[in-house]
Amino acid sequence: LATGPRQNNSIFYEIRTYDIKPSKMKEFVEVLNKYIHLRAAHSELVGFWSAELGAMNKVVHVWKYDDFAHRTAVRHALANDKAWQETLSSRVLPLIEKQHNEVACLVPWCQLGKPPKEGGLYEWVTFQVKPGGPALWGEAFQAAINAHINTGYSKLIGVFHTECGLLNTVHVIWWNESPDHWAVGRRSAHEDARVEAAVQDSVRFLESQQNMLLIPLQCSPLK
């Protein structure tokens, strides 16, 4: 089991969370779906979602970078891309109330997954854990994740931990066929002795947790 602080490469993911003005959500989504290709031409978009439950008027998007030099080059290219500035950036910025970003890496024992089919519901679970990184909590956290996977209800998409932003944060992304399928899966997990045992071991590293149910935008690579 690899329990180092990050995977053995320089790849990282920028997680961006925007709070959208309540009356402007529909307009924001329409503009993004139509013009996000102008931004995605510069670096890889992993996924773009809007919150359905657990938050309101919020979107989350994840971008992949080879390293920090790559991100710097992308930001420089965007600063000189008039099509992106005039068609996309200038139109969505007035619709946003607040922006937040984090730099995160996949935990050493997780690869980025894909849903078995398009459609469905994503659950974004955020854990605030005790300081120490995957070297401290990795084994217990992995056991808890695997116990949930073994129930067969949810598909794991990715497990990320932050390196810039609110530190000691772990984001877990799950895919479910539907909200009802997600609800049945939660009840099943609560009644599963394997899940209960794994969770009891992992919560000793936990400070708090919260979740959101997300719907992928039409433009999202992960659908």
Side-chain angles (χ1 to χ4, degrees), residues 4-21:
R6 62 183 296 170
Q7 295 197 6
N8 188 28
N9 55 48
S10 58
I11 292 173
F12 69 87
Y13 299 82
E14 183 175 4
I15 300 171
R16 286 182 165 250
T17 305
Y18 295 169
D19 290 336
I20 310 302
K21 294 177 181 178

Side-chain angles (χ1 to χ4, degrees), residues 52-65:
E52 181 73 9
L53 291 171
M56 297 183 69
N57 305 303
K58 187 182 294 289
V59 297
V60 182
H61 43 128
V62 179
W63 300 86
K64 181 180 179 181
Y65 294 99

Side-chain angles (χ1 to χ4, degrees), residues 37-205:
H37 66 278
L38 296 173
R39 171 62 184 84
H42 292 277
S43 63
E44 181 180 347
L45 174 62
V46 174
F48 210 124
W49 303 268
S50 63
E52 181 73 9
L53 291 171
M56 297 183 69
N57 305 303
K58 187 182 294 289
V59 297
V60 182
H61 43 128
V62 179
W63 300 86
K64 181 180 179 181
Y65 294 99
D66 297 333
D67 51 32
F68 286 97
H70 179 208
R71 184 182 184 277
T72 298
V74 169
R75 302 309 297 179
H76 179 76
L78 288 170
N80 292 280
D81 186 336
K82 290 185 177 180
W84 171 76
Q85 292 175 14
E86 296 173 0
T87 307
L88 180 58
S89 181
S90 64
R91 294 180 66 178
V92 299
L93 282 177
L95 313 179
I96 299 172
E97 285 192 331
K98 185 169 63 175
Q99 296 175 297
H100 174 72
N101 76 335
E102 299 170 293
V103 170
C105 297
L106 286 167
V107 296
W109 37 267
C110 177
Q111 300 296 321
L112 192 63
K114 293 183 178 180
K117 60 183 179 181
E118 291 189 1
L121 180 81
Y122 288 79
E123 182 183 18
W124 186 290
V125 190
T126 299
F127 300 88
Q128 194 65 32
V129 297
K130 296 182 183 298
L136 173 69
W137 46 259
E139 187 171 356
F141 202 86
Q142 183 182 15
I145 292 294
N146 285 337
H148 281 85
I149 292 173
N150 290 336
T151 66
Y153 280 95
S154 296
K155 163 71 175 177
L156 180 66
I157 301 300
V159 181
F160 302 85
H161 67 100
T162 56
E163 293 203 341
C164 186
L166 182 59
L167 296 178
N168 307 307
T169 301
V170 181
H171 299 291
V172 183
I173 309 174
W174 298 93
W175 178 89
N176 297 268
E177 289 188 9
S178 69
D180 287 320
H181 193 266
W182 166 82
V184 171
R186 279 187 62 83
R187 289 194 293 270
S188 175
H190 290 318
E191 298 169 356
D192 191 303
R194 298 167 300 173
V195 174
E196 182 180 356
V199 169
Q200 286 181 353
D201 185 47
S202 66
V203 293
R204 57 197 168 102
F205 301 111

